[in-house]
Amino acid sequence: MASAAEQLARNLNFSTFAKAKDLQQRIWFTLGALLVYRLGTYIPIPGIDGDAFAATFDRAQSGIFGMFNMFAGGAVERMAIFALNLIPYITASIVIQVMTTASPTLEALKKEGEQGRRKINQYTRYLAVVFCALQAYGIAVGLEASEGVVSNPGWFFRISTVVTLVGGTMFLMWLGEQVTSRGVGNGISLIIFAGIVATLPAAIAQTLELSRTGALPTIGVVGLLVLAVVVIAVIVFFERAQRKLLVQYPKRQVGNKMFQGDTSHLPLKLNTAGVIPVIFASSLLLLPATMASFAAQGDAPGWLTTTAAVLGRGQPVYLAIFASLIFFFAFYYTSIVFNPTETADNLKKSGGFIPGIRPGERTAQHIDYVLTRITIVGAIYLTLVALIPEVLVSQLNVSAFLGGTSLLIMVTVTLDTISQVQSHLIAQQYEGLVKKSRLGGRRKK
């Protein structure tokens, strides 16, 4: 039999959405916040010669600049106040999460509940400010090294650039938190999603222009479109894939009645970590690569130029590090969001058990074993989806939007947002049914 939640989900329709006033307000708030973000990507930092920087960016956009520009929603090519986007905040989140497992103090804060979570979030913001300031200073120095880009080089330009870029990232952090609490959720992911989608028209125009000039054959354009469709289909399939563990509940007696034992399933997602491993891996790679590329534009030492070349998009070292980071964060984030021991304890308390497996520790070990196996498959799927199109796109010299990373983020965030909206609608419909039952009970009395 279908669960109550499944039955409510089947009954969702447009009239249910029309009655969900709270959901409508959340959607309008989310759209307004994303509009504010998009406007900020067009406000340039002071002291930059737009034409000179555009020429510098055009020479490097096929490499790591193009990838970073995609995540920033085009803010890099305009050197806007949101050029750093949320990359420093994501990097800080990675560092804090890793430190939480290694530091007893942070681990104790995590166990304190909501209050501890707020303190950890505050530490993450402080660390994000530090990362952002260092990266902004590196970008300012790199811009000064590029001939003709900065009108008046010096400490005033560096300080103003650092303040502007740090302020832009801090504002996006606050905006993402507002979307999470007052919007439809997933504020950070939605901001990155909006930035990627905003580059779609320019990416399509660039690809068509390459085809028109003969730089990219027509068969190449058709191949890219087919590849994009196949990648999207693969992403949807794997993101919906689950490994269901059979759970049985024993017979129970209530009074003089004996109730038959029930069966259920414990769903384990093939990709429990979602798009987080790819975002984290991209963030850690983009920051040093972009700073090295900026600094290497001028009279830079040989090692810096070599670093920029080695970490260039599509290079073997870049791809190897990218794949390793995806695997690491796939397992690491899965261990954070899913606790086999806690799940086994909850099953034991409710009287449920997996057939053939002892309740308690043996059940936790079995769940962990199954979860590890499917996570390996999920990590391989994430790596292939992110790397194979990445290699082809870098070889064909087309927009980063057509790469597997951008498609993965777009499809995954879309699926998550749809699930969030459905959850709000189900909650709205459930509240309506409860009110009707209460009114019906009062009338009978």
Side-chain angles (χ1 to χ4, degrees):
M1 293 181 64
S3 64
E6 291 174 342
Q7 292 177 354
L8 287 173
R10 292 172 183 173
N11 295 329
L12 296 179
N13 49 41
F14 182 78
S15 62
T16 307
F17 177 77
K19 296 176 183 177
K21 300 299 181 183
D22 178 67
L23 177 59
Q24 294 176 21
Q25 292 177 358
R26 288 178 175 272
I27 292 176
W28 281 114
F29 179 85
T30 302
L31 293 176
L34 295 180
L35 177 61
V36 171
Y37 158 65
R38 289 304 304 155
L39 291 175
T41 60
Y42 286 89
I43 303 175
I45 64 176
I48 296 292
D49 187 328
D51 296 334
F53 179 77
T56 302
F57 181 81
D58 288 340
R59 292 193 297 267
Q61 65 174 331
S62 61
I64 202 69
F65 275 7
M67 191 70 161
F68 196 87
N69 187 55
M70 177 197 70
F71 278 97
V76 175
E77 64 180 315
R78 294 180 286 271
M79 194 43 62
I81 59 176
F82 292 159
L84 284 177
N85 204 266
L86 289 163
I87 302 300
Y89 177 72
I90 295 173
T91 308
S93 300
I94 299 170
V95 174
I96 292 296
Q97 287 184 8
V98 172
M99 289 177 61
T100 300
T101 59
S103 171
T105 303
L106 292 177
E107 189 173 0
L109 281 177
K110 184 180 179 181
K111 296 179 180 179
E112 290 182 4
E114 182 65 21
Q115 185 177 1
R117 187 182 65 84
R118 289 180 180 178
K119 289 183 179 180
I120 292 177
N121 289 341
Q122 196 66 21
Y123 295 153
T124 305
R125 296 188 190 100
Y126 293 150
L127 187 59
V129 172
V130 175
F131 284 163
C132 192
L134 293 175
Q135 294 149 20
Y137 181 78
I139 289 176
V141 174
L143 289 172
E144 288 184 338
S146 301
E147 185 178 356
V149 172
V150 180
S151 303
N152 296 302
W155 279 106
F156 181 79
F157 169 76
R158 297 179 187 179
I159 294 174
S160 63
T161 300
V162 170
V163 171
T164 303
L165 292 179
V166 171
T169 299
M170 294 303 104
F171 177 78
L172 285 183
M173 286 168 48
W174 175 83
L175 193 65
E177 292 174 354
Q178 295 302 308
V179 172
T180 300
S181 60
R182 300 174 60 185
V184 295
N186 299 325
I188 304 298
S189 299
L190 279 174
I191 288 177
I192 297 176
F193 168 84
I196 294 175
V197 171
T199 61
L200 173 59
I204 294 176
Q206 179 191 359
T207 305
L208 294 178
E209 180 64 19
L210 290 174
S211 177
R212 187 186 66 82
T213 58
L216 181 65
T218 304
I219 188 65
V221 177
V222 176
L224 283 174
L225 293 177
V226 173
L227 177 64
V229 173
V230 172
V231 169
I232 291 173
V234 169
I235 293 172
V236 173
F237 173 79
F238 276 93
E239 290 300 321
R240 294 300 187 189
Q242 293 180 344
R243 171 72 162 87
K244 295 183 178 180
L245 296 179
L246 180 64
V247 177
Q248 289 186 347
Y249 294 90
K251 296 180 181 180
R252 57 193 178 92
Q253 184 173 0
V254 180
N256 295 326
K257 292 184 178 181
M258 179 68 71
F259 290 89
Q260 184 68 26
D262 196 8
T263 60
S264 181
H265 291 90
L266 176 64
L268 301 177
K269 288 190 64 176
L270 184 67
N271 179 28
T272 305
V275 74
I276 296 298
V278 177
I279 293 179
F280 279 9
S282 300
S283 302
L284 288 181
L285 271 178
L286 282 175
L287 287 176
T290 304
M291 292 176 64
S293 298
F294 265 119
Q297 295 294 323
D299 186 15
W303 67 268
L304 192 57
T305 306
T306 304
T307 301
V310 168
L311 293 180
R313 186 178 172 212
Q315 297 300 317
V317 175
Y318 172 87
L319 297 177
I321 297 176
F322 194 21
S324 302
L325 289 175
I326 290 176
F327 257 83
F328 171 76
F329 286 118
F331 281 91
Y332 179 75
Y333 200 76
T334 299
S335 67
I336 291 177
V337 300
F338 192 93
N339 189 334
T341 302
E342 183 179 348
T343 303
D345 290 340
N346 291 335
L347 285 177
K348 186 177 181 180
K349 291 177 182 178
S350 61
F353 63 94
I354 299 176
I357 307 296
R358 269 186 171 185
E361 185 179 352
R362 293 293 299 273
T363 298
Q365 293 175 354
H366 178 71
I367 294 175
D368 183 66
Y369 172 72
V370 174
L371 187 63
T372 301
R373 291 175 62 190
I374 63 176
T375 302
I376 292 175
V377 179
I380 293 174
Y381 139 72
L382 286 176
T383 304
L384 294 178
V385 167
L387 293 191
I388 292 179
E390 199 70 35
V391 173
L392 296 177
V393 167
S394 62
Q395 293 297 322
L396 295 175
N397 198 25
V398 295
S399 174
F401 173 84
L402 300 174
T405 302
S406 57
L407 293 176
L408 180 64
I409 293 174
M410 285 180 56
V411 176
T412 307
V413 174
T414 300
L415 294 175
D416 289 343
T417 303
I418 292 174
S419 299
Q420 292 278 355
V421 172
Q422 288 179 342
S423 299
H424 284 291
L425 289 175
I426 291 174
Q428 176 77 18
Q429 192 173 17
Y430 179 76
E431 290 176 1
L433 292 175
V434 171
K435 290 180 180 179
K436 287 183 180 180
S437 63
R438 288 177 179 175
L439 290 175
R442 292 176 182 175
R443 289 174 182 174
K444 289 180 181 180
K445 290 181 181 180

